Amino acid sequence: MSDTPLPASLAEIADDFRSASNELKLQLLLEFSDELPGLPERYAGHLDQLERVDECQSPLFLTVEVADGASLDDRVVNIFFDAPAEAPTTRGFAGILHEGLDGLSAAEVLAVPDDAPMRFGLAEAVSPLRMRGMVAMLGRIKRQVRAKTAA
């Protein structure tokens, strides 16, 4: 794993997961699933405006909005997810990334190490296939931020 630090908001979540038993990790994941906000009105019924994350076992869609600003440090990132209620693990991963990254600057999001999902200690609680889905979500978020901030 890289030694690049996580943003404080994501590091706090990672610490909570790492210190929990596997049973508690799954409970925490369910809480994040329940707390994932719905899509704003402008995206409701418009999944064609979102990107599908094919690596997820359940249909998960996401999009990123980046505010205007003079530099990447000034540009706030907002992340939106759509995941079915019957996919609590996928929703939980989305909830973690939403809670940990939404509202950060573009610079902070782009600095998140690609191995960040592996720092939650979830690999022993969920399958490698599911972990690949969370890694893919982070990759898509960062790619969209890069695309939307390219001059």
PDB file of all heavy atoms in Angstrom, residues 2-16:
ATOM      1  N   SER A   2       0.375   2.277  -0.637  1.00  0.00           N
ATOM      2  CA  SER A   2       1.118   3.533  -0.659  1.00  0.00           C
ATOM      3  C   SER A   2       1.060   4.161   0.728  1.00  0.00           C
ATOM      4  O   SER A   2       0.219   3.818   1.551  1.00  0.00           O
ATOM      5  CB  SER A   2       0.522   4.486  -1.698  1.00  0.00           C
ATOM      6  OG  SER A   2      -0.711   4.998  -1.241  1.00  0.00           O
ATOM      7  N   ASP A   3       1.968   5.093   0.991  1.00  0.00           N
ATOM      8  CA  ASP A   3       1.926   5.763   2.286  1.00  0.00           C
ATOM      9  C   ASP A   3       1.351   7.171   2.170  1.00  0.00           C
ATOM     10  O   ASP A   3       1.451   7.971   3.078  1.00  0.00           O
ATOM     11  CB  ASP A   3       3.307   5.770   2.952  1.00  0.00           C
ATOM     12  CG  ASP A   3       4.396   6.286   2.030  1.00  0.00           C
ATOM     13  OD1 ASP A   3       4.078   6.691   0.896  1.00  0.00           O
ATOM     14  OD2 ASP A   3       5.571   6.287   2.448  1.00  0.00           O
ATOM     15  N   THR A   4       0.729   7.454   1.009  1.00  0.00           N
ATOM     16  CA  THR A   4       0.058   8.736   0.835  1.00  0.00           C
ATOM     17  C   THR A   4      -1.100   8.812   1.825  1.00  0.00           C
ATOM     18  O   THR A   4      -1.920   7.895   1.876  1.00  0.00           O
ATOM     19  CB  THR A   4      -0.489   8.864  -0.603  1.00  0.00           C
ATOM     20  OG1 THR A   4       0.570   8.629  -1.522  1.00  0.00           O
ATOM     21  CG2 THR A   4      -1.105  10.229  -0.840  1.00  0.00           C
ATOM     22  N   PRO A   5      -1.174   9.878   2.629  1.00  0.00           N
ATOM     23  CA  PRO A   5      -2.265   9.953   3.601  1.00  0.00           C
ATOM     24  C   PRO A   5      -3.623  10.153   2.930  1.00  0.00           C
ATOM     25  O   PRO A   5      -3.712  10.744   1.853  1.00  0.00           O
ATOM     26  CB  PRO A   5      -1.898  11.161   4.470  1.00  0.00           C
ATOM     27  CG  PRO A   5      -0.933  11.959   3.669  1.00  0.00           C
ATOM     28  CD  PRO A   5      -0.264  11.027   2.697  1.00  0.00           C
ATOM     29  N   LEU A   6      -4.648   9.669   3.594  1.00  0.00           N
ATOM     30  CA  LEU A   6      -6.020   9.885   3.127  1.00  0.00           C
ATOM     31  C   LEU A   6      -6.472  11.260   3.609  1.00  0.00           C
ATOM     32  O   LEU A   6      -6.002  11.739   4.633  1.00  0.00           O
ATOM     33  CB  LEU A   6      -6.953   8.821   3.720  1.00  0.00           C
ATOM     34  CG  LEU A   6      -6.701   7.373   3.330  1.00  0.00           C
ATOM     35  CD1 LEU A   6      -7.645   6.453   4.090  1.00  0.00           C
ATOM     36  CD2 LEU A   6      -6.868   7.183   1.837  1.00  0.00           C
ATOM     37  N   PRO A   7      -7.428  11.888   2.890  1.00  0.00           N
ATOM     38  CA  PRO A   7      -8.023  13.123   3.428  1.00  0.00           C
ATOM     39  C   PRO A   7      -8.632  12.796   4.800  1.00  0.00           C
ATOM     40  O   PRO A   7      -9.077  11.669   5.028  1.00  0.00           O
ATOM     41  CB  PRO A   7      -9.109  13.489   2.422  1.00  0.00           C
ATOM     42  CG  PRO A   7      -8.926  12.606   1.248  1.00  0.00           C
ATOM     43  CD  PRO A   7      -8.042  11.466   1.645  1.00  0.00           C
ATOM     44  N   ALA A   8      -8.655  13.780   5.694  1.00  0.00           N
ATOM     45  CA  ALA A   8      -9.115  13.554   7.075  1.00  0.00           C
ATOM     46  C   ALA A   8     -10.483  12.868   7.127  1.00  0.00           C
ATOM     47  O   ALA A   8     -10.694  11.943   7.923  1.00  0.00           O
ATOM     48  CB  ALA A   8      -9.148  14.872   7.829  1.00  0.00           C
ATOM     49  N   SER A   9     -11.409  13.309   6.273  1.00  0.00           N
ATOM     50  CA  SER A   9     -12.767  12.747   6.299  1.00  0.00           C
ATOM     51  C   SER A   9     -12.754  11.248   5.973  1.00  0.00           C
ATOM     52  O   SER A   9     -13.475  10.461   6.596  1.00  0.00           O
ATOM     53  CB  SER A   9     -13.656  13.494   5.302  1.00  0.00           C
ATOM     54  OG  SER A   9     -13.016  13.563   4.034  1.00  0.00           O
ATOM     55  N   LEU A  10     -11.922  10.837   5.019  1.00  0.00           N
ATOM     56  CA  LEU A  10     -11.843   9.431   4.631  1.00  0.00           C
ATOM     57  C   LEU A  10     -11.004   8.647   5.640  1.00  0.00           C
ATOM     58  O   LEU A  10     -11.327   7.493   5.953  1.00  0.00           O
ATOM     59  CB  LEU A  10     -11.234   9.336   3.226  1.00  0.00           C
ATOM     60  CG  LEU A  10     -11.566   8.102   2.398  1.00  0.00           C
ATOM     61  CD1 LEU A  10     -13.072   7.896   2.265  1.00  0.00           C
ATOM     62  CD2 LEU A  10     -10.937   8.198   1.024  1.00  0.00           C
ATOM     63  N   ALA A  11      -9.954   9.266   6.178  1.00  0.00           N
ATOM     64  CA  ALA A  11      -9.088   8.601   7.155  1.00  0.00           C
ATOM     65  C   ALA A  11      -9.878   8.234   8.412  1.00  0.00           C
ATOM     66  O   ALA A  11      -9.690   7.147   8.983  1.00  0.00           O
ATOM     67  CB  ALA A  11      -7.910   9.503   7.513  1.00  0.00           C
ATOM     68  N   GLU A  12     -10.780   9.111   8.823  1.00  0.00           N
ATOM     69  CA  GLU A  12     -11.597   8.853  10.013  1.00  0.00           C
ATOM     70  C   GLU A  12     -12.487   7.626   9.792  1.00  0.00           C
ATOM     71  O   GLU A  12     -12.611   6.767  10.675  1.00  0.00           O
ATOM     72  CB  GLU A  12     -12.454  10.090  10.304  1.00  0.00           C
ATOM     73  CG  GLU A  12     -13.177  10.038  11.616  1.00  0.00           C
ATOM     74  CD  GLU A  12     -13.965  11.321  11.865  1.00  0.00           C
ATOM     75  OE1 GLU A  12     -13.444  12.423  11.587  1.00  0.00           O
ATOM     76  OE2 GLU A  12     -15.114  11.198  12.335  1.00  0.00           O
ATOM     77  N   ILE A  13     -13.076   7.528   8.613  1.00  0.00           N
ATOM     78  CA  ILE A  13     -13.929   6.372   8.287  1.00  0.00           C
ATOM     79  C   ILE A  13     -13.072   5.102   8.249  1.00  0.00           C
ATOM     80  O   ILE A  13     -13.457   4.057   8.789  1.00  0.00           O
ATOM     81  CB  ILE A  13     -14.661   6.587   6.943  1.00  0.00           C
ATOM     82  CG1 ILE A  13     -15.594   7.800   7.035  1.00  0.00           C
ATOM     83  CG2 ILE A  13     -15.453   5.332   6.561  1.00  0.00           C
ATOM     84  CD1 ILE A  13     -16.128   8.274   5.686  1.00  0.00           C
ATOM     85  N   ALA A  14     -11.897   5.196   7.621  1.00  0.00           N
ATOM     86  CA  ALA A  14     -10.995   4.040   7.528  1.00  0.00           C
ATOM     87  C   ALA A  14     -10.610   3.552   8.925  1.00  0.00           C
ATOM     88  O   ALA A  14     -10.592   2.340   9.182  1.00  0.00           O
ATOM     89  CB  ALA A  14      -9.758   4.395   6.715  1.00  0.00           C
ATOM     90  N   ASP A  15     -10.326   4.480   9.837  1.00  0.00           N
ATOM     91  CA  ASP A  15      -9.970   4.114  11.210  1.00  0.00           C
ATOM     92  C   ASP A  15     -11.119   3.375  11.890  1.00  0.00           C
ATOM     93  O   ASP A  15     -10.892   2.373  12.571  1.00  0.00           O
ATOM     94  CB  ASP A  15      -9.610   5.361  12.036  1.00  0.00           C
ATOM     95  CG  ASP A  15      -8.279   5.972  11.625  1.00  0.00           C
ATOM     96  OD1 ASP A  15      -7.494   5.291  10.921  1.00  0.00           O
ATOM     97  OD2 ASP A  15      -8.040   7.135  11.995  1.00  0.00           O
ATOM     98  N   ASP A  16     -12.339   3.860  11.699  1.00  0.00           N
ATOM     99  CA  ASP A  16     -13.514   3.197  12.288  1.00  0.00           C
ATOM    100  C   ASP A  16     -13.626   1.758  11.796  1.00  0.00           C
ATOM    101  O   ASP A  16     -13.869   0.842  12.585  1.00  0.00           O
ATOM    102  CB  ASP A  16     -14.808   3.948  11.943  1.00  0.00           C
ATOM    103  CG  ASP A  16     -14.928   5.280  12.669  1.00  0.00           C
ATOM    104  OD1 ASP A  16     -14.170   5.521  13.632  1.00  0.00           O
ATOM    105  OD2 ASP A  16     -15.785   6.088  12.255  1.00  0.00           O
TER     106      ASP A  16
END
